[in-house]
């Protein structure tokens, strides 16, 4: 994080909400259901798998060296898992062959989730199983990996509470109304976040996870040519950024694999440049830039 005291406090606030999203899920393998959620704790595996964080850390550190995009890919995977039925790793479940019911990972909104995020969890889970078979949930491994990447990308290291259960139910139909869209207004974002027990400040803070990572042209192309049906570009985008993005993302056609950094100044660092970008009209996604243009979130 940036070295000022205000930056440190803001960063810690963001991170507190990253792991505050981790309410456990009741539907799980080899765990009886109850009406109350399991109590999470930092030392949940202290006796059953004391080397857990070192094992996961060996995977995340290697992945980050080989493919830095693994960081934002895993954090986005964590968010997409948590916002649909809680942090239960149900996004990792594959659709049953021949089934008409698609799993979460096959939902249209999850098709752009990068393989590096899934690979991180898969490799970490395999290593952990070799040392602590049948003990640690995939949900906890995903939460730990997300924290590791925050730290590896320049953010602080924070303790991860553990004890999440792996869910057995995974349905693509539950995804669309639980995941925010790139063109959401503040009203739409607030409605979704409120439904999760999160408030205005939580929305602003958690959006800071866009401090690194990339988005495909389809997520922002309407801002470049016809923002909200006006046939004009979004006036809240810096003309230089607009010109640059138009060179890569034509209004029609173009390469669907082209991506642009969500944080155009420091795309691989976990810092506060994301917020400064919004002040300078350098936000990539409409949902992000709206945070600075809306009087409720601008302060």
């Amino acid at each position: 994080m940036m070295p000022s005291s205000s930056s440190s406090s803001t960063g810690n606030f963001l991170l507190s909400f990253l792991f505050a999203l981790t309410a456990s899920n009741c539907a799980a393998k080899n765990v009886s259901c109850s009406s109350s959620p399991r109590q999470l704790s930092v030392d949940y595996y202290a006796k059953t798998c004391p080397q857990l964080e070192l094992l996961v850390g060996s995977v995340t550190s290697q992945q980050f060296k080989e493919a830095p995009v693994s960081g934002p890919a895993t954090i986005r995977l964590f968010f997409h898992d948590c916002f649909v039925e809680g942090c239960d790793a149900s996004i990792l479940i594959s659709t049953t062959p021949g089934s008409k019911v698609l799993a979460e990972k096959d939902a249209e909104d999850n098709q752009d989730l990068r393989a590096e995020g899934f690979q991180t969890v898969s490799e970490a889970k395999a290593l952990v199983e070799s040392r602590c078979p049948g003990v640690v949930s995939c949900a906890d491994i995903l939460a730990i990996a997300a924290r590791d990447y925050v730290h590896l990308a320049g953010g602080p290291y924070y303790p991860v509470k553990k004890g999440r259960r792996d869910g057995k139910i995974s349905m693509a139909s539950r995804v669309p109304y639980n995941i925010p869209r790139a063109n959401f207004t503040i009203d739409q974002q607030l409605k979704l976040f409120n439904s999760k027990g999160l408030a205005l400040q939580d929305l602003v803070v958690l959006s800071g996870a866009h401090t690194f990572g990339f988005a495909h042209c389809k997520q922002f192309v309407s801002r470049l040519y016809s923002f909200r049906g006006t046939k004009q570009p979004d006036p809240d985008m810096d003309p230089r950024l607009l010109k640059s993005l138009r060179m890569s993302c034509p209004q029609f056609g173009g390469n669907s694999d082209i991506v642009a950094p969500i944080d155009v100044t420091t795309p691989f660092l976990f810092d506060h440049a994301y917020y400064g970008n919004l002040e300078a009209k350098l936000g990539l996604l409409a949902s992000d830039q709206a945070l600075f243009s809306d009087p409720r979130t601008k302060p």
Side-chain angles (χ1 to χ4, degrees):
M1 304 295 285
M2 297 165 68
S4 70
S5 60
S6 62
S7 294
S8 177
S9 61
T10 304
N12 290 335
F13 189 50
L14 166 58
L15 295 167
S16 71
F17 279 104
L18 277 174
F19 64 78
L21 283 175
T22 55
S24 59
N25 188 289
C26 192
K29 183 177 181 180
N30 299 327
V31 178
S32 60
C33 281
S34 64
S35 59
S36 60
R38 180 187 294 188
Q39 186 66 41
L40 304 184
S41 64
V42 173
D43 58 355
Y44 187 83
Y45 298 108
K47 294 182 179 180
T48 56
C49 193
Q51 68 271 49
L52 169 61
E53 302 221 5
L54 289 176
L55 294 173
V56 176
S58 67
V59 172
T60 52
S61 60
Q62 185 63 32
Q63 286 275 75
F64 193 71
K65 291 178 183 178
E66 296 177 358
V69 75
S70 297
T74 303
I75 289 179
R76 187 180 178 207
L77 182 65
F78 186 41
F79 177 80
H80 278 234
D81 180 46
C82 291
F83 256 48
V84 181
E85 305 299 323
C87 306
D88 62 352
S90 55
I91 197 167
L92 304 176
I93 298 174
S94 298
T95 299
T96 303
S99 174
K100 295 181 179 180
V101 180
L102 296 179
E104 287 175 35
K105 69 187 299 183
D106 293 319
E108 183 177 352
D109 293 284
N110 288 333
Q111 292 308 293
D112 287 338
L113 292 176
R114 292 187 62 99
E116 289 86 353
F118 293 97
Q119 183 178 352
T120 289
V121 181
S122 178
E123 292 189 7
K125 176 65 171 174
L127 180 59
V128 170
E129 283 295 307
S130 71
R131 305 292 180 85
C132 313
V135 174
V136 183
S137 67
C138 290
D140 279 335
I141 289 175
L142 177 53
I144 294 168
R147 183 278 316 276
D148 285 355
Y149 283 127
V150 167
H151 183 57
L152 288 166
Y157 185 92
Y158 60 90
V160 174
K161 291 184 178 181
K162 307 167 198 72
R164 298 166 191 79
R165 299 179 174 102
D166 285 338
K168 292 191 296 184
I169 300 173
S170 183
M171 300 172 63
S173 60
R174 294 179 174 180
V175 175
Y177 56 88
N178 279 306
I179 297 297
R181 306 297 178 104
N183 63 346
F184 264 16
T185 64
I186 295 300
D187 283 337
Q188 290 172 312
Q189 293 182 73
L190 275 177
K191 181 179 179 180
L192 177 57
F193 273 65
N194 289 164
S195 74
K196 311 296 179 185
L198 299 170
L200 183 98
Q201 192 171 26
D202 307 332
L203 166 62
V204 176
V205 171
L206 284 171
S207 295
H210 282 167
T211 179
F212 62 171
F214 298 80
H216 288 83
C217 290
K218 67 179 182 180
Q219 302 292 344
F220 56 85
V221 70
S222 65
R223 295 189 70 202
L224 311 182
Y225 301 97
S226 184
F227 184 58
R228 305 207 184 283
T230 62
K231 297 185 179 180
Q232 297 294 326
D234 186 349
D236 285 328
M237 177 179 285
D238 183 281
R240 294 167 298 175
L241 178 60
L242 174 64
K243 181 179 179 180
S244 175
L245 292 174
R246 279 182 164 181
M247 292 176 66
S248 301
C249 303
Q251 185 172 11
F252 304 106
N255 187 341
S256 61
D257 293 329
I258 294 293
V259 296
I262 302 177
D263 176 344
V264 299
T265 52
T266 57
F268 289 103
L269 295 180
F270 193 96
D271 57 17
H272 293 119
Y274 163 84
Y275 294 105
N277 291 342
L278 302 186
E279 294 184 68
K281 296 187 175 184
L282 293 175
L284 181 69
L285 306 179
S287 56
D288 286 336
Q289 192 59 52
L291 294 172
F292 192 71
S293 57
D294 191 289
R296 293 169 292 181
T297 48
K298 182 176 180 178

